[in-house]
Amino acid sequence: MADAGVPNGDEATVLEVVRSGDSARFALLTERYRRELQVHCYRMLANYEDAQDMTQETLLRAWHKRESYQGHAALRTWLYRIATNACLDFLAKRKDRTPVPADPTAVGTEVLYLQPYPDRMLPEDPQDSVVARETIELAFIVAVQHLPPRQRAVFILRDILGWPAPQAADALELTVASVTSALQRARVTVRAELPGRRLDWRSPAIHEVSNDERDVVKSYMTAHERNDLAGLTALLREDLRFAMLPEPGTATTAEDAVDGWVSGGLFQPGYDDWRCVATTVNRMPAAVLYRRVPGDPEYRLFNLAVLHIVDGKIAELTGFDATGKPWLALPQTL
């Protein structure tokens, strides 16, 4: 990836700005990379708020380490190196930022710290590899979390950002041989975590939600607004995988998911007056659910349902508590 245009358009000016000690000019120069650095940190951490923090940490470290920038590598490369190591330092301190075993009734592990990524905060260039849909979807982000941190960094730098092995090795202070070995192991793990999915994440990918997906989201919202349990159930694949984060527990069949919703009160008094709004997060179709309880004149923000749709059916449904997340920029009431 080539660096975007810089003040006065040449590398010498970039070096001069970085080394000048002028904090305002330095901020202007580096701020243009904030969104893509945040996506990079999100892939490393699977948590939007952590990614925000580590992006800010990256820019602060860059300022304090500006004298180390020699101009031999692109400014973007230098910033990605700093961001990667900031995330590795974070992970070394936070032992709770790894997948945990699922409850005894489910299979596999759960990433309870997973958060959705608002599409409005993605880099603006839709053709940029940092926003390819296949590499920002929730299932991919979760799969990457199953890699040990340094292996995770190798995989993202090599297979997502397309860095040559020597460049990735230099950034992580590893040998080229160890980077090559780590990448091979990482690919095996990611493929195992994404059965039946598009696995060639290095080739051109789709970016937009399809009309068929929009139709399923519309039907999903209509079923809620009409309290139509049969209609909602008909939208689900039998092997639906459902999770409601950050709560533990994953349903792996539509029957189990629906039974859980009903036992939790869905379409019963207090959970029978809904309004829904379509949106997208992680370049995936999603529905925002607003609930009105008896005596309240307004519908209040409740949940965000992110859908992975296969052949017109919902194959995965990841729910998030939508409250207390101002970065989603969702209206609190309807």
Side-chain angles (χ1 to χ4, degrees):
M1 294 184 294
D3 273 320
V6 299
N8 298 331
D10 59 64
E11 294 179 3
T13 303
V14 172
L15 183 58
E16 187 273 325
V17 171
V18 172
R19 303 291 290 278
S20 68
D22 186 328
S23 59
R25 293 180 72 199
F26 184 86
L28 183 65
L29 180 65
T30 56
E31 184 65 25
R32 69 190 65 190
Y33 301 106
R34 180 182 291 274
R35 288 193 177 193
E36 62 183 87
L37 289 170
Q38 188 162 298
V39 170
H40 178 60
C41 292
Y42 177 72
R43 285 205 187 95
M44 286 288 296
L45 305 175
N47 182 282
Y48 183 84
E49 292 169 307
D50 292 343
Q52 276 189 316
D53 290 344
M54 288 304 101
T55 302
Q56 188 61 31
E57 173 68 14
T58 295
L59 298 178
L60 288 172
R61 288 189 184 191
W63 169 249
H64 291 303
K65 296 180 178 182
R66 62 191 183 280
E67 291 297 325
S68 69
Y69 180 70
Q70 302 296 323
H72 302 311
L75 179 64
R76 173 188 266 119
T77 301
W78 183 65
L79 291 171
Y80 269 94
R81 175 176 181 157
I82 294 172
T84 302
N85 284 286
C87 289
L88 290 173
D89 290 345
F90 174 88
L91 290 169
K93 297 175 183 176
R94 293 292 298 270
K95 301 304 182 183
D96 62 331
R97 288 301 190 256
T98 56
V100 298
D103 66 56
T105 63
V107 178
T109 57
E110 300 174 324
V111 180
L112 301 181
Y113 52 91
L114 177 68
Q115 291 181 336
Y117 200 103
D119 284 6
R120 65 184 181 83
M121 295 303 297
L122 291 170
E124 294 180 356
D125 182 359
Q127 298 307 312
D128 198 317
S129 64
V130 299
V131 294
R133 181 170 170 183
E134 281 77 1
T135 64
I136 196 68
E137 285 187 333
L138 292 177
F140 186 87
I141 297 298
V142 167
V144 171
Q145 296 303 296
H146 287 81
L147 302 174
R150 199 159 294 271
Q151 197 178 110
R152 190 183 312 174
V154 167
F155 176 77
I156 293 171
L157 293 177
R158 292 282 285 115
D159 265 11
I160 307 307
L161 298 181
W163 285 25
Q167 190 175 29
D170 181 61
L172 299 171
E173 299 182 347
L174 299 171
T175 65
V176 171
S178 62
V179 162
T180 300
S181 175
L183 179 61
Q184 291 172 345
R185 296 195 304 274
R187 286 173 176 169
V188 170
T189 299
V190 172
R191 288 190 172 101
E193 293 294 329
L194 291 170
R197 290 297 196 93
R198 181 183 183 278
L199 298 179
D200 187 7
W201 45 79
R202 291 168 292 165
S203 65
I206 61 172
H207 296 274
E208 303 301 329
V209 172
S210 70
N211 289 332
D212 288 344
E213 288 174 312
R214 292 190 183 94
D215 288 343
V216 172
V217 173
K218 183 177 180 180
S219 296
Y220 176 85
M221 296 190 301
T222 298
H224 275 81
E225 293 179 350
R226 294 179 178 175
N227 293 322
D228 182 0
L229 185 62
L232 178 60
T233 303
L235 295 171
L236 310 175
R237 281 174 51 127
E238 290 183 3
D239 59 350
L240 171 78
R241 184 176 179 85
F242 166 72
M244 183 66 209
L245 298 174
E247 298 299 321
T250 302
T252 55
T253 68
E255 182 179 5
D256 285 346
V258 172
D259 286 348
W261 299 341
V262 171
S263 65
L266 182 63
F267 301 151
Q268 298 171 33
Y271 293 88
D272 59 349
D273 195 353
W274 301 95
R275 290 293 180 270
C276 305
V277 177
T279 188
T280 60
V281 295
N282 295 73
R283 293 205 177 278
M284 300 176 69
V288 188
L289 277 61
Y290 290 80
R291 180 180 63 138
R292 185 170 68 176
V293 298
D296 192 336
E298 295 183 303
Y299 291 88
R300 299 191 181 276
L301 183 63
F302 191 65
N303 285 338
L304 174 69
V306 186
L307 312 179
H308 173 60
I309 298 166
V310 177
D311 298 329
K313 295 275 191 175
I314 301 172
E316 297 171 18
L317 197 166
T318 307
F320 297 93
D321 180 353
T323 62
K325 296 179 176 61
W327 37 271
L328 287 174
L330 298 171
Q332 295 300 300
T333 59
L334 289 181

